[in-house]
Amino acid sequence: MSGAVSASEALLGAVRAGRMGEAAGLLDGMTDAERRACLPALKDLRKELRAAPWDAASRRAYPTLHAAGAACHTGAAWTATWLTAADLRWSQASPGVLLHVLGDRERDWLGDVAHRLAERPPLAQVPYELVSGLVRLSGCPVPTTETYVVGWIEQVGSLWQRGDTILQRLRQDPYAAELVAAVFEIPDIGNRLDWLFGDGPDSWFDALAQLTLEGALDRKATVDACVARLLRGGVPSDCRVFLRLLTALELTRDEERERAADWLALASDATSTVASYAQSVLGSLALDGELTPRQLAEMSGGVLFRPEKKLVRAQLVLLGKALRRDPSSAAELLPAVAQAFGHEDTDVQERALKLVERHLAGASPEVRAEVAHAAEELSPGLRVRATQTLGLDGTDRMPEHYAELLPPLPEPARVPPAPDSAVELAEEVGALLASGGDVAAFERTLDGLVRHAYRDRNALAEALKPVVARRWWADADPQYTSVEKYFRADPHGLEVVLATLLGQMSTATLRKAVEHGPTADPCVHSAMAAAFNARLWEAAYRLRTDPLPFLLATPTWGSGLLEPDELVARLDEYRRLGARPGAADFTQALLRVRRDDHAAAATTATTAAATAAEQAAALGTAEGNRLALWLTTAGPSMPRSSRRTSGPRILLELGELDGLPGEFPPAFRRLGRPVGLFEARAYCAHYWDRAERHHWLAVVPGRRELVAARLLRELSSVAVEDTRGNASVLPLIAEAPGEAGEAVHLCVAYGLGARHPEDRLSAVDALLVLAARGQLDAEGLGADLGQLMRRGAVKPLRLAESVRTAATTGAYATVWEILRAALPVLLADLATDGAAASARGFGELLAVAAECAERTGARGHMAHLGQAADRRGSSRLVTQARRLRATLDHEVAA
C-alpha cells in the first residue's frame, strides 16, 4: 500500500507541476490497481482547479491532469467521459500524448473508447486525431458518426499541411468508401460541409466524381444517395451540397431516364435550385421524346403552382416546345397548360392563354370543355379575351354586382372579475409573467392583487412565492439597493406590486416614486409611460401604507373603456368602507370612463353618462362631485397636428391637449404636452422594450391618435430602417375606439411598406379592420402612400405584396380606392422624368391595381396612366399599365 501511495503522490506532483513527460513515464509503470488508486487525488485536484483562478499554474496543470485522469480510469465509459469533460476541454493534452498513455490497453477496450468518443456531439470538440488513432490501434470498425465523419473531412481537406491533393488522399484512405457513404446519412450535415467541401479544381466534388469514375466508389449507390438526400429535403445548405455533388457526377442519359419519377417529385416539391435542376433534366428528356406527354403533364401540375415565377415561365416554354414538336400531345398537355390560368401572376395567365390559343384549334370537345372550365380562374380581363378568341362557353360569367368581403367587426370583450382564491390568482400571475397578456388579463390580475392583499396579505404572499421564485429580486438581500434602483427607474409592470407584497421594497422608495414620479425624460413615449407607471407605483405604495379594497380604474371592456355606472358603484362602495381613493387610480378611471352612450335609443332623453353623473353627485364625496363634473362637461379636445418631414419620413407634430383638469397628478398632466419632431427622433428604453405599448391605448381609450402619433417614429422604421416587430401594435390600434386620423393612417402606411412579412401582415390586419369599421380614409391613405413611395420611405414591391394580400381576402374595392390615389404620384414622376426613382416593383403594384379594377368593374380616368401605357417595350410596368388602362376604358385587356 505504501508503494501505491508513493506512486500516487509522485504522479500528483508531476500533474501539479505540469511535467507531462514525467507523468507519462510514471503511468507507463503502473498496474491497473495502482492507476485506480491515483484517481481520488486526481479528482480532488480537478475540483481544486475548478475554483482556482485561471493563471499560469492552472494552465500548466490542466493538460497533464487531462492525460493522467484518462489513463487512470480503467473503464471505457469513464475514460470517454473524462476526456470530453467541459472543464478540461479548453486545455487538453495533445492526441499524441493521449494515444501514448492509453496505447497499452487491450484492443477491444481501445475500440470501445473510440466509438464512445465518436458518438459525442460536435460541441464536445473531440480531436479527430485521437479517435482515428484509437481506431488504428484497436483495428475496430471505423465509426460513421457526425463527429468522426466531419473530423475526417476536415483532416482530408487540410492540404496546406501536405503537398498532395484531396483525390490522392482519398485514394490512399482504406475507409474512404465507408465514410463517404456515411456522409449521406447524417442529418443536416450540409451546414458543416458547405464550406468544408470548397470550390475549385481540387474540390471534394471533383474528387468524389473521379473516384466513382475509377470504381473506388459505387457509382449507382452514390447517385442514389444524392437523389435520396435531395428528395428528403432539409436545410438549404444540405440541398446545395448534394446538388453540386450530383451535378459533378455528370449523369448519363440512361441514369437520368431511370430516375424520371424522382425528377418529377423534385420538380414539384424541392427547393428552387433543386427543382430547377430537375426541371432541366425532365425538359431534356421530354424534348428528346423520352418522357411521355402524360408524365410531362404530371410534372406541369406540380411546377405551375410553385411560387417561383422563373420556374413557372420555364415550364410554359417547355410545354410550348413539346406541343410544337408533337401536336398530337395537345389532348394531354393543353389541360396542363390551362392549370396556369389560376396562377396569381396575370403575366403567367396571359402566357398560358396565348399557348392555348395557339394549339386549341384541333382539340377535341372534351379538351375544349376542360380548358373552358379552367378559364374561369383567369383574371376578368383575360376571361373576356378567352371568350372572344377561343369561343369558349361559360367563361364570361363575371358577377353583375361586385360584393366587398371584409372581416367581421371585432366584438368588444368584457374584462372578467379577478379570481376568488389567492392560489388561482397566483397561477394567473405566473402566466402573465411568463408570456405577457392583453389589457384585460393585466387589469384583472392587478385588481386581484389589490383585492386579495386587502383581505389577507400573508396568504397572498405565500401563494405568490413559488410563482416569483425565479425572479432575480425574489431572494435578493434587502440591505442592498439594487432592487430599489431597479424599481425606482421603472415598475416593470406587475413586478413592483409583487416585490412589495414579498417585502423586497421599502416604503421610502415607493413614497419617493409616488410623490416625484419618474425622472425627467424627453422621449416621445414618456407621457404614456408615466401615466401607466404612476398607477402601479401608487398601488404598491398603498399596499404598504393604506391598502385599497379594489381598484377604481379597472376597465369594463378590453379596450380600456369603463362604464360610468360601474365607476359610480365603486365610488359608493369606497364611501361605505371609508376608503380613500388613490389619486392616480381615480384619475385613470376618469380618463377611461365612457362619456357617450352609443347604445342608447334615439328617443332616450337622458344618456347613461348623464344618469351616472346625477348618481355620482348624490354620493356627497369629493370624488363623486369630480366624476359628475367630468361626465357633464366636454372632454379635452384633440390637439392640433401638423406634418413635418425628416429625411424620407413624413411625421406629425401635436399641439397641446387642452381640457385636462389642473388637479390631475403630474404624471397625467404630461399627457397634454405637445409632441415635437425632436422628441420623436429621440431613442429611449421604450423604443426597444415593446411590452407595455399595448397598454398605452387603454390609458387614453377613445383617443388612439395620441398613441399613434407617439409611436409613429418607430413604426416608420419598419419601412425605412428595416426593423422588425414594431408594427405588431397596428391591429390593436385599429381595433381601439376613437377617431382614426392622420397619425393612425400614417402608421398603417408605414406598416404596409415594412421589410418583414409579419409586420406587413399586421398592417394588412389593421387596414381591413379599419375598412370593416367604416373608419378607413382610403383616398387619404393612398395619397400618403404615394408620397412615401416618392420619397423612398416605402418601396413599391413591398407595398404590392401587402395590398395583394389584402385584396385576396376579398377587399378588392378597398385596395382599388387606395391605389387609385397612390399610383398617380408615381405615374407623374414617370411621365416627367422618364424613369421613376422607385420604379422597381411599380409593375407589381400596377398588376394589383389592374386585378382590383377588373374584379370591381372600376371605370374612369387615371392621371398619367396613358403615358406609362404608351411607353415602348414589354416590361412588367408597361404591360400592366396597358392592362389597367384597358380595364378603366372598358376595353379588352391586350
Side-chain angles (χ1 to χ4, degrees), residues 465-495:
K465 283 181 180 179
V467 173
V468 301
R470 293 191 176 184
R471 297 284 158 171
W472 70 269
W473 45 259
D475 56 356
D477 191 336
Q479 295 180 356
Y480 296 102
T481 59
S482 57
V483 177
E484 305 284 341
K485 290 181 179 179
Y486 177 72
F487 288 112
R488 180 64 186 91
D490 191 303
H492 300 281
L494 292 179
E495 289 191 45

Side-chain angles (χ1 to χ4, degrees), residues 182-190 224-234 238-239 242:
V183 168
F184 297 97
E185 303 300 325
I186 298 175
D188 298 336
I189 197 172
D224 287 343
C226 279
V227 174
R229 278 307 295 258
L230 295 177
L231 286 169
R232 191 188 307 175
D238 267 8
C239 300
F242 293 108

Side-chain angles (χ1 to χ4, degrees), residues 644-662:
R644 296 288 186 270
T645 58
S646 175
R649 289 175 167 89
I650 298 175
L651 301 175
L652 288 179
E653 289 187 335
L654 294 184
E656 188 172 352
L657 179 66
D658 297 325
L660 288 181

Side-chain angles (χ1 to χ4, degrees), residues 257-306:
R257 187 188 309 110
E258 69 183 16
R259 294 173 176 81
D262 295 330
W263 310 133
L264 289 171
L266 291 172
S268 299
D269 300 321
T271 60
S272 178
T273 52
V274 176
S276 179
Y277 173 80
Q279 184 186 45
S280 66
V281 173
L282 290 170
S284 178
L285 291 172
L287 296 179
D288 288 345
E290 300 185 42
L291 203 67
T292 66
R294 182 175 296 276
Q295 288 177 310
L296 183 55
E298 178 187 347
M299 168 194 175
S300 302
V303 175
L304 290 177
F305 282 96
R306 291 186 65 103

Side-chain angles (χ1 to χ4, degrees), residues 484-491 509 512-527 529-531 533-534 537 666-667 670 673 684-686:
E484 305 284 341
K485 290 181 179 179
Y486 177 72
F487 288 112
R488 180 64 186 91
D490 191 303
T509 298
K512 185 177 181 181
V514 170
E515 292 177 352
H516 303 288
T519 56
D521 186 352
C523 94
V524 71
H525 316 97
S526 60
N533 292 340
W537 273 315
R670 296 175 66 173
R673 294 181 182 176
C684 63
H686 305 103

